[in-house]
Amino acid sequence: MAKVSMVEREAKRIKAVKKYADKRAALKARVKDPNLSIEERMEAQHQLQKLPRDASPARLQRRCRITGRPHAVYRKFGLCRNKLRQHTMQGDVPGLRKGSW
């Protein structure tokens, strides 16, 4: 089980990413726009750097929905390997079963 503080911090990052998503996209478009002058593009880059670090989607960590574990999380299910195996054995994951041969 992950520390509650780490899970809460991740939730805070998710909120920040959603809050600044439009502003980041607009600034990034201005930075890449070849029609703008160098000064305008540099100013847009400077404003982009002034945004909070946690507003960047690259800082998000995928976590298990049940335990909050940050490693070995399967994107398709949103579960870590331990909980995925446990729920598969119980038959809670539709279309998934333990392989044996």
Side-chain angles (χ1 to χ4, degrees):
M1 191 73 181
K3 288 172 47 175
V4 175
S5 61
M6 297 304 288
V7 175
E8 291 298 320
R9 186 181 301 166
E10 196 63 34
K12 185 177 169 185
R13 283 187 183 135
I14 290 170
K15 280 178 57 177
V17 167
K18 288 180 183 177
K19 180 179 178 183
Y20 290 102
D22 296 334
K23 190 171 186 178
R24 280 185 64 83
L27 286 172
K28 284 177 85 91
R30 288 191 66 199
V31 169
K32 292 181 181 180
D33 188 6
N35 299 329
L36 295 177
S37 69
I38 296 293
E39 291 80 20
E40 290 174 328
R41 288 168 49 184
M42 292 299 284
E43 179 60 30
Q45 180 69 34
H46 184 68
Q47 289 175 354
L48 187 63
Q49 290 173 350
K50 280 188 166 184
L51 291 179
R53 284 186 180 178
D54 284 343
S56 173
R59 289 179 64 95
L60 292 178
Q61 175 73 40
R62 196 171 40 250
R63 290 187 174 269
C64 177
R65 293 180 185 165
I66 298 172
T67 62
R69 186 176 197 270
H71 297 291
V73 177
Y74 289 86
R75 290 180 188 195
K76 186 173 182 178
F77 306 105
L79 299 174
C80 64
R81 61 183 177 83
N82 305 333
K83 290 299 173 181
L84 182 61
R85 183 176 189 276
Q86 179 183 356
H87 287 280
T88 300
M89 295 302 226
Q90 293 173 354
D92 295 338
V93 184
L96 194 65
R97 62 186 180 130
K98 181 177 183 272
S100 59
W101 55 91

